[in-house]
Every structure is written in structure tokens, then in C-alpha cells.
Amino acid sequence: MKIALLQLLPTGTLEGQLEKGLEACRRAKAMGADIALFPEMWSCGYEIPEDVGRLRDLAVDADGAFVSAFGVLAAELEMAVAVTFLERFEPRPRNSAAVFDCHGVRRMLYAKVHTCDFGDEARLTPGEGFYTADLATPAGCVKVGAMICYDREFPESARILMLQGAELILVPNACPMEINRLSQLRGRAYENMTAIATANYPAPHPDCNGHSSMFDGVAYIPELPGSRDTCLLEAGEEEGIYLAELDMDLLRDYRRREVHGNAYRRPEKYGLLLCEEREEPFLRPDRRK
């Protein structure tokens, strides 16, 4: 299964984003992609104006022309597409992703749960939960989930997707992907035995540096005496379409026999994880429920 990571620079307009995004999908298909993944909030290039009126003007409907165009193209190309956008929503817009299968059917609409409430995303409405879906692609069906950027920094995000059966987690991103954030992705893939594909904006987009990546989570295979590198691809900083190839048979065999994921968990011991109380040093005045 080939996943195209669309590491693209924004154009500055919704019309430009649509045109460039559709063309990138066509190029990805020509490269052999089964799934195309956009960086975070592609419709506006991750722009979050301070003025709420302007913010609402930038938002698009989940069933509107911009998002629907990618569903139409997914069916035309027979390629799954995960497109991202600032979603029109009340009381404030959401940071969302729509995942279309290779028949153009929308299989998932996900809104970012862990909004960055310490920054501009305090002006957005957080999502309500994490979801998985069976996604038809030219290479077969795969159970996918999604988490967006800051979601990645909470192990619970990937964990709950694993518990829902996710084999592949799609991660639209808009931040500097340095050694520690890449290590987070490596860890999430390893501990859950899931593949994780991340698409980021390239440099010189503000506060971004490329390094889109693909980890398959397969740390051990019988023919190797030790562990293997789970990183299948790490892009550089430059704009481009980067194609990662995921061996689904290898991943599924690994998930059936290895010790991570849900094989030996003890959920009856984890009650404190559901406690909503906070104490120092983790009290933050801008934290929202």
C-alpha cells in the first residue's frame, strides 16, 4: 500500500488551495499512490486569524464544494484521499479532516480533539472523539484512524485508535518536526503496532520544516537477529510529494504475534487515567474542557 505525503506550500487563497491540491492528488496517483494525505488545515494553509469574523469567513462546509471536490477526484482517480480544512461549525470553526475512499465515499470526518488552547487554536471548537473506518483503496481495505498534529503528543490518542482496530493512523501536521516529535510518532507506532503516516508543510512555511514521515511499527521480524528501523520514510524540508510503501501483510502478521498493542494490557489497573482533577505543576489558566 502506497501513501503519498503531500508536503506542499499553501497558495494563499481557497481557489489556489483547491487547484494545487487537486493537481497534487493527480501527481500522487501517477506515482502509484493508493492514499493521498494533506498537511493540517489545507483549505487555508493553517491560517487562524485573530478576528473571529475573518476566521468564520475562511471556514468551509464539510459537505461544501471545496471538500466535495476531493471526493469526486478520489472516485475519478480510484485513490483514497484525506483532505484537511477549516470546517464551518458552531460556536467556532473546527480543524478537520475528511477521508474519502477510492470510490469517492466519505468514510470519516474527524475534528482535532487536542486543540492548542495555549495559542491561536483557542479560537477553534475541539472535536468530540476519535474514530476509525474501513477504507477501500486500490491495494485493498485498511482500517484507518486520524489524529491531527497536537493530538500526536498524547499517547491516549493513538491508543484509543488502536483499541478501535486502527492499522494505519493518518496525521495531518503543521509544526516543526524535530527529533522529539519524530520520536513521538516512532513511539506511538511501536507501542500500538500501527503504521503512522504524517504530512507536514515544508519550509519556509511559518513554524514548519517538512520532515513528513511514515513509521510502520514493525520492530521485529523473525529473519533479523535484532530490531529493525520502523521508519519507512522521512522527507527533507523541501516541498514535494513523498511516497511511502507499507507492507500490510507484514504489519498484519506482526500484529497477530507480537506483544504490544492490546495483547497484555491491564486496563483494570488504569483507573487514574480517567481522573479529571489537576494539580501543580500542570495547572494552566487557558485550559478548556
Side-chain angles (χ1 to χ4, degrees):
M1 185 170 291
K2 296 178 180 178
I3 298 96
L5 310 176
L6 307 182
Q7 188 167 292
L8 306 173
L9 283 170
T11 66
T13 68
L14 180 66
E15 295 76 15
Q17 295 299 91
L18 178 61
E19 182 179 353
K20 186 169 184 174
L22 294 175
E23 178 56 28
C25 287
R26 294 187 182 96
R27 289 170 53 202
K29 179 63 178 182
M31 294 168 66
D34 301 299
I35 303 173
L37 174 63
F38 281 88
E40 186 175 8
M41 282 203 318
W42 173 249
S43 67
C44 62
Y46 194 75
E47 180 183 354
I48 306 175
E50 186 172 349
D51 180 76
V52 175
R54 170 64 179 149
L55 178 67
R56 288 194 170 105
D57 288 343
L58 278 180
V60 299
D61 291 317
D63 296 317
F66 179 87
V67 177
S68 297
F70 290 93
V72 171
L73 185 66
E76 176 189 323
L77 298 178
E78 297 183 348
M79 177 184 73
V81 176
V83 64
T84 58
F85 55 103
L86 179 64
E87 181 190 358
R88 185 169 290 126
F89 198 80
E90 292 298 335
R92 299 281 181 88
R94 302 196 303 186
N95 182 341
S96 298
V99 183
F100 295 96
D101 69 14
C102 63
H103 308 297
V105 178
R106 192 178 79 189
R107 295 299 181 184
M108 184 187 304
L109 175 62
Y110 170 71
K112 185 176 185 176
V113 169
H114 296 101
T115 48
C116 299
D117 295 343
F118 45 83
D120 291 343
E121 288 191 356
R123 295 188 286 278
L124 303 181
T125 299
E128 293 297 324
F130 295 94
Y131 315 101
T132 57
D134 294 319
L135 186 70
T137 83
C141 188
V142 59
K143 179 80 80 173
V144 299
M147 52 188 190
I148 297 177
C149 201
Y150 192 47
D151 285 329
R152 168 203 70 245
E153 305 204 14
F154 297 86
E156 295 87 350
S157 306
R159 184 64 95 191
I160 198 167
L161 289 171
M162 177 276 292
L163 292 174
Q164 293 180 36
E167 299 173 303
L168 170 63
I169 300 176
L170 304 174
V171 186
N173 199 81
C175 73
M177 293 306 296
E178 36 70 54
I179 187 171
N180 297 300
R181 288 181 172 124
L182 289 166
S183 297
Q184 284 177 331
L185 294 168
R186 184 187 295 274
R188 300 292 94 87
Y190 172 77
E191 66 202 11
N192 292 297
M193 297 194 290
T194 59
I196 298 183
T198 302
N200 194 29
Y201 288 102
H205 190 62
D207 208 33
C208 292
N209 67 339
H211 291 276
S212 300
S213 64
M214 180 80 193
F215 295 90
D216 70 357
V218 179
Y220 310 103
I221 54 177
E223 53 266 37
L224 292 181
S227 63
R228 65 183 281 275
D229 189 353
T230 64
C231 182
L232 303 181
L233 182 148
E234 181 185 341
E237 295 189 353
E238 301 79 14
E239 182 175 29
I241 297 174
Y242 297 87
L243 198 66
E245 188 164 355
L246 176 62
D247 187 332
M248 290 302 305
D249 290 335
L250 178 68
L251 176 60
R252 286 168 176 162
D253 177 68
Y254 183 73
R255 287 163 61 87
R256 281 191 293 265
R257 61 180 170 79
E258 268 299 341
V259 301
H260 310 295
N262 201 25
Y264 296 99
R265 290 176 66 250
R266 301 282 186 182
E268 70 277 8
K269 307 295 185 183
Y270 307 153
L272 187 60
L273 293 175
L274 298 179
C275 178
E276 295 188 11
E277 295 181 7
R278 286 171 180 78
E279 298 179 353
E280 290 289 359
F282 301 116
L283 299 180
R284 303 292 186 274
D286 53 3
R287 192 263 175 187
R288 294 185 294 174
K289 286 197 173 184

